Amino acid sequence: MESSVVAENDTNAPEDDVKERCWDQREALPDEPRCVICGRYGEYICDETDDDICSLECKGILLSRLAKSRQPTGRPCPVKLPATDECYYVRDNDNKSEVKPLTTDQTELMRRKLDILVKGDKTTPPPILSFASCKLPQKLLDNIEVAGYEMPTPVQMQAIPAALARQSLLVSAETGSGKTGSFLIPIVSQCAKVNEEHFPNQQMPLAMVLTPTRELCIQVEDQAKVLGKGLPFKTALVVGGDAMAGQLHRIQQGVSLIVGTPGRLIDLLTKHEIELDTISILVLDEVDCMLQRGFREQVMQIFTALSQPQVLMFSATIPKEVEKMASTMAKKVTVISVGKPNKPNQAVKQLAIWVDSKRKKQKLFDILMSKQHYKPPVIVFVGSRLGADLLSEAITVSTGLKALSIHGEKSMKDRREIVRSFLVGEIPVVVATGVLGRGIDLLTVRQVIVFDMPNSIKEYVHQVGRASRMGEEGTAIVFVNEENKKLFPELVEALKTSGAAIPRELANSSISCAIQDFERLASESIDAFAES
Ligand code: AMP
């Protein structure tokens, strides 16, 4: 561990001794190198691997993982499955027994056990049980291990082989279930192989990931970098808030993956000549949001500039109309759903509280000051940018807790800094609009307070999902009152499926809504009957 990097704002400071323990190291600032094991400030470079590393402790972990992954397993015995070129099954122990592809019945059984439903293409490969059972480049397998992914999550088990088989997919799975890896692993694999063979000197854009928010783009790009490290695989981030010239320059230098928000991408495409003909994989993350009015036209404009790519679409919530629209983007779309999508993450305990609008602020302060209920770091979701600013100030004044707001009007630099200080524990409470609602991996967050109920139940599902990653338990407190009436039936359903209590007022109100609906329908049919 000879090389060391000193923080940008600290260039004259003397170099410290090499850090022994990971915890002695500080968190990384947004543009600083990160330790490939723990994500803290990657102050040193591990001589053996050239990876950024924070301390001797993480260096030890990195080297022992690498040593393990290089040991011969004595078990590869590939058998190609008929439908795909890219996956094979390996035997777990010796070479004596014969290895056969799974039969249709075995595949069905496996899917049932994993709670996976597949609709559409009958040739969709069976789920994989390990990353090693796909023909991924060895370096990518190493990177997957370094990222700490020991085995695929259920959505990865099915989506990765299907994506590698070049199928277009519409995938729904709970928030925090590993969807990002499901598309990035096939992308890194395909790009690295194509670049090695066809573009050894200058990379061409081969894949594009579109997401609705800049934060999510940053997170996807970060994860792509971890998975693509050491491979011929460069990425470009194309989002508003950062200078366009730098983004354009990066693409012109040669990248394989472009990650961006639709608005900025269109800006870039209309103002500059960028060749997108080579893109053969398009990912729409949070697809339900991407195909809603406002985004849909932009997404379609980008889609038509590409030459019929494989389309991979992901979200926790996929309404029927999105399913219909998705099918227009590719000839054949395989629909994969895992677990109980369209429902709040089962690891999050929901608590619905009936509270009048005028009393919501005081209720929030009570929660934040209660030893029993306050579980920092906390995200409070509100409906408007102004509301976020005002509420964060009011929290600080009334409770003494440091609170900041985050929303689309803040500069990219401010948003990055707020997310950073929230994640390292400098700020215990963030008041956010929808920008933090989707996809963002806020690893440390275990509590979400839905202060203003969003306009749709699927947005609510996404917000609740922020309180848990990879099945860890979290809590979501939601304030409801008469103003959210139109969502009552779906909210009651969402609370019921998670075993949460339904406040009396909500139960009564949703019964009276149902009666009103029934009466309306009855009178409409009487009218229709009378007219006929
Ligand atoms: P996502 O649903 O893609 O936002 O992922 C949620 C979290 O799970 C992220 O912190 C990922 O780094 C992590 N993750 C993704 N796949 C795996 C895996 N196979 N094993 C362990 N962690 C994973």
Side-chain angles (χ1 to χ4, degrees):
M1 194 150 48
E2 277 159 3
S3 328
S4 85
V5 187
V6 179
E8 228 175 274
N9 55 1
D10 200 14
T11 36
N12 297 323
E15 283 183 26
D16 287 342
D17 288 340
V18 176
K19 305 272 186 300
E20 281 283 332
R21 316 272 312 167
C22 163
W23 292 110
D24 297 336
Q25 188 55 270
R26 64 176 172 82
E27 293 293 335
L29 296 173
D31 295 324
E32 286 184 337
R34 286 170 187 273
C35 172
V36 290
I37 300 293
C38 69
R40 287 172 176 261
Y41 175 37
E43 187 165 11
Y44 314 105
I45 292 172
C46 174
D47 295 329
E48 288 82 345
T49 63
D50 264 359
D51 282 311
D52 296 320
I53 205 85
C54 72
S55 61
L56 289 172
E57 186 184 17
C58 280
K59 179 184 175 185
I61 298 173
L62 175 65
L63 293 180
S64 78
R65 279 187 185 169
L66 276 186
K68 243 203 295 170
S69 71
R70 282 186 191 130
Q71 274 165 17
T73 58
R75 56 179 192 168
C77 182
V79 175
K80 271 189 188 159
L81 288 171
T84 167
D85 197 21
E86 293 287 352
C87 293
Y88 60 93
Y89 280 78
V90 290
R91 254 190 313 229
D92 272 337
N93 31 38
D94 51 48
N95 282 331
K96 286 174 206 136
S97 54
E98 266 211 356
V99 182
K100 290 188 191 131
L102 295 183
T103 62
T104 315
D105 285 351
Q106 285 169 325
T107 302
E108 279 312 308
L109 184 68
M110 198 160 150
R111 286 186 180 143
R112 232 178 299 138
K113 284 195 170 163
L114 293 165
D115 224 349
I116 296 173
L117 265 177
V118 177
K119 271 196 306 188
D121 198 333
K122 294 236 169 348
T123 62
T124 304
I128 48 161
L129 292 178
S130 74
F131 292 112
S133 54
C134 286
K135 279 188 187 167
L136 302 176
Q138 183 55 46
K139 185 77 191 120
L140 173 55
L141 287 173
D142 295 345
N143 292 344
I144 288 173
E145 194 165 347
V146 167
Y149 303 177
E150 278 177 19
M151 62 182 292
T153 63
V155 62
Q156 292 167 350
M157 288 179 181
Q158 185 58 78
I160 290 175
L164 286 170
R166 308 285 292 141
Q167 297 189 349
S168 283
L169 307 177
L170 177 61
V171 183
S172 55
E174 279 185 347
T175 50
S177 58
K179 289 195 286 286
T180 318
S182 307
F183 58 79
L184 282 181
I185 290 170
I187 285 180
V188 174
S189 171
Q190 313 265 37
C191 290
K193 284 178 187 171
V194 171
N195 283 330
E196 224 158 60
E197 214 170 295
H198 302 285
F199 309 114
N201 301 322
Q202 176 157 23
Q203 294 178 27
M204 304 292 276
L206 298 171
M208 180 184 277
V209 177
L210 298 180
T211 92
T213 67
R214 308 174 207 174
E215 278 75 12
L216 196 47
C217 286
I218 293 170
Q219 188 177 294
V220 169
E221 200 214 10
D222 280 350
Q223 213 168 323
K225 281 182 179 158
V226 170
L227 293 170
K229 200 169 170 119
L231 286 159
F233 176 77
K234 286 194 188 147
T235 60
L237 184 67
V238 180
V239 293
D242 285 343
M244 195 190 278
Q247 298 172 354
L248 180 67
H249 179 71
R250 178 140 183 103
I251 296 178
Q252 286 167 340
Q253 291 296 299
V255 296
S256 302
L257 169 67
I258 298 175
V259 184
T261 46
R264 172 51 76 95
L265 254 162
I266 288 182
D267 238 21
L268 199 73
L269 293 178
T270 44
K271 290 187 184 136
H272 304 276
E273 289 238 326
I274 297 176
E275 202 46 77
L276 294 181
D277 269 6
T278 43
I279 288 193
S280 60
I281 307 177
L282 172 68
V283 175
L284 302 180
D285 196 9
E286 307 294 345
V287 61
D288 54 329
C289 183
M290 304 296 280
L291 292 183
Q292 258 168 21
R293 275 202 7 246
F295 266 136
R296 191 192 310 162
E297 294 71 23
Q298 296 177 327
V299 169
M300 285 308 184
Q301 198 178 334
I302 295 170
F303 176 69
T304 43
L306 312 179
S307 14
Q308 300 198 321
Q310 174 188 16
V311 189
L312 306 176
M313 297 166 273
F314 288 78
S315 188
T317 46
I318 300 193
K320 275 273 169 271
E321 63 272 18
V322 170
E323 211 171 312
K324 255 194 229 153
M325 238 169 353
S327 62
T328 62
M329 298 184 75
K331 263 198 212 130
K332 260 205 250 171
V333 177
T334 305
V335 181
I336 298 174
S337 78
V338 181
K340 294 187 177 58
N342 293 330
K343 301 271 180 303
N345 188 319
Q346 298 295 303
V348 180
K349 202 169 139 213
Q350 296 169 76
L351 174 63
I353 303 178
W354 187 270
V355 43
D356 287 340
S357 292
K358 274 191 257 146
R359 293 212 58 254
K360 283 204 292 193
K361 255 194 204 166
Q362 189 52 50
K363 191 80 196 168
L364 175 68
F365 301 155
D366 293 346
I367 292 170
L368 296 178
M369 287 193 293
S370 143
K371 272 199 186 129
Q372 189 194 348
H373 291 113
Y374 172 55
K375 298 190 176 90
V378 179
I379 307 181
V380 180
F381 280 109
V382 295
S384 73
R385 294 168 181 184
L386 181 63
D389 288 339
L390 295 176
L391 189 60
S392 61
E393 281 164 25
I395 290 172
T396 306
V397 171
S398 304
T399 67
L401 292 170
K402 253 193 184 175
L404 285 178
S405 62
I406 186 162
H407 51 69
E409 241 163 45
K410 295 212 161 175
S411 74
M412 198 58 214
K413 195 162 154 259
D414 285 352
R415 282 158 69 170
R416 276 196 185 125
E417 176 51 25
I418 293 167
V419 170
R420 184 204 66 80
S421 40
F422 183 55
L423 291 181
V424 301
E426 288 167 13
I427 310 170
V429 182
V430 157
V431 184
T433 56
V435 291
L436 283 191
R438 283 180 177 258
I440 289 280
D441 196 358
L442 299 166
L443 283 175
T444 50
V445 176
R446 291 290 167 265
Q447 185 169 54
V448 159
I449 300 177
V450 182
F451 184 87
D452 291 328
M453 188 72 188
N455 290 332
S456 71
I457 212 71
K458 69 180 176 358
E459 221 45 55
Y460 170 75
V461 168
H462 282 279
Q463 293 183 355
V464 165
R466 297 305 113 216
S468 162
R469 298 321 258 171
M470 300 307 290
E472 281 196 37
E473 283 190 2
T475 55
I477 298 178
V478 49
F479 292 170
V480 263
N481 59 40
E482 282 295 324
E483 288 175 18
N484 319 118
K485 211 168 175 173
K486 83 177 186 341
L487 292 180
F488 283 171
E490 286 171 290
L491 178 62
V492 167
E493 195 53 37
L495 293 169
K496 266 193 200 156
T497 54
S498 316
I502 318 282
R504 189 171 32 84
E505 298 89 335
L506 177 57
N508 291 346
S509 217
S510 66
I511 291 170
S512 64
C513 283
I515 293 173
Q516 276 170 18
D517 279 353
F518 178 75
E519 284 173 350
R520 188 178 42 78
L521 281 174
S523 88
E524 277 170 13
S525 30
I526 290 168
D527 289 350
F529 182 70
E531 273 172 30
S532 71

